[in-house]
Amino acid sequence: MASLLKQDVNKAKVIRLLNWVYFLFALLSVLAILIIEVSLTAGWEDFISSNWVIAIWSIFLLSRCSEIYVAFLRDALDKVSEKKSESRGKWWPRSLVRIKNKLFVHQWISRHIKGSSLQNHDRLALSFRSYFELIVNFAILYLLTPETFWKDCKNPEGIWESGYFSGVTITTLGYGDITPVHWFPQFLTVFEVLCGFALIVVCFAVYLQKEKNG
């Protein structure tokens, strides 16, 4: 979808818009979960008892985390090799692009989103917002898993505890007070660390080095 929006529109403006949209969506998700935890006497577990709700939400969050990982890794590799990436996403049918243009999405983005190019300091700001979004997205993913997936059935209880576990995981602290024993949350923890490295170690080092070298 992001590549479709970038057709016939300034790429940097679309990236800025989507980055803010997903960042605000992550904030609203945390707020919504907090409201549910405080206001519903049935509890958070009963609210998400439907398997299809868990499946759809998990797929969306995983796809978004994968998108962040791939996007920043590609951008960092392009910066190192000085390769242009304008040709990516050209596979969308022109009919869909024309429909998108008829909805005046491209005109709204062109008029209301500032910044026609991305400098390294802009990329750092995008990275920080995406880093926070990763912590929130993985926290929700951990929250969606059943307690049997965790050692001694001690699963993250509530968004604050799952956010804490997500934070110590992405920063590779790993205190060990909460431990997954099922393959799915174990996969999530490894994937979260990889995403964190893609943003912090690879991207930040490349952007800061390029900024320093001018």
Side-chain angles (χ1 to χ4, degrees):
M1 186 59 67
S3 59
L4 175 61
L5 287 176
K6 293 174 186 176
Q7 297 296 306
D8 300 337
V9 186
N10 182 271
K11 177 182 175 182
K13 292 187 176 184
V14 175
I15 292 175
R16 292 175 190 270
L17 173 63
L18 293 178
N19 185 261
W20 272 110
V21 167
Y22 283 119
F23 176 75
L24 293 176
F25 182 79
L27 290 178
L28 291 175
S29 298
V30 172
L31 181 60
I33 293 174
L34 285 174
I35 293 174
I36 292 171
E37 290 178 346
V38 172
S39 60
L40 293 185
T41 57
W44 167 256
E45 292 79 6
D46 292 339
F47 181 79
I48 57 170
S49 58
S50 228
N51 289 332
W52 67 270
V53 173
I54 296 176
I56 293 176
W57 204 351
S58 298
I59 291 172
F60 167 75
L61 292 173
L62 270 176
S63 64
R64 175 56 187 160
C65 293
S66 301
E67 182 183 11
I68 293 174
Y69 173 75
V70 172
F72 278 97
L73 190 59
R74 274 183 175 177
D75 189 55
L77 293 175
D78 289 346
K79 292 288 287 183
V80 172
S81 61
E82 298 182 353
K83 178 183 176 182
K84 300 296 183 181
S85 59
E86 284 80 1
S87 60
R88 292 198 183 112
K90 296 292 186 181
W91 47 269
W92 284 100
R94 289 304 303 176
S95 58
L96 284 179
V97 176
R98 284 193 293 269
I99 293 174
K100 184 263 297 184
N101 292 341
K102 287 182 180 179
L103 295 175
F104 303 104
V105 175
H106 63 302
Q107 295 183 13
W108 187 92
I109 294 176
S110 300
R111 292 175 181 175
H112 295 85
I113 306 299
K114 298 180 180 179
S116 58
S117 63
L118 290 176
Q119 304 301 321
N120 288 334
H121 61 273
D122 298 319
R123 288 180 164 87
L124 287 173
L126 295 173
S127 299
F128 277 116
R129 284 193 291 270
S130 295
Y131 194 76
F132 174 82
E133 185 190 341
L134 283 173
I135 295 176
V136 172
N137 289 346
F138 277 103
I140 298 175
L141 283 168
Y142 297 134
L143 197 62
L144 293 174
T145 57
E147 63 180 13
T148 55
F149 285 12
W150 303 84
K151 183 178 180 181
D152 299 328
C153 293
K154 180 176 173 50
N155 61 315
E157 297 180 358
I159 189 62
W160 290 122
E161 189 169 355
S162 60
Y164 153 78
F165 178 74
S166 180
V168 299
T169 298
I170 200 171
T171 55
T172 68
L173 292 175
Y175 291 126
D177 50 342
I178 304 175
T179 307
V181 294
H182 189 271
W183 71 265
F184 183 63
Q186 288 174 344
F187 159 76
L188 290 179
T189 57
V190 174
F191 186 41
E192 184 175 10
V193 171
L194 289 176
C195 291
F197 272 120
L199 267 70
I200 297 297
V201 178
V202 179
C203 297
F204 284 14
V206 172
Y207 297 158
L208 289 175
Q209 183 65 28
K210 287 286 184 177
E211 189 82 20
K212 182 178 179 181
N213 295 338

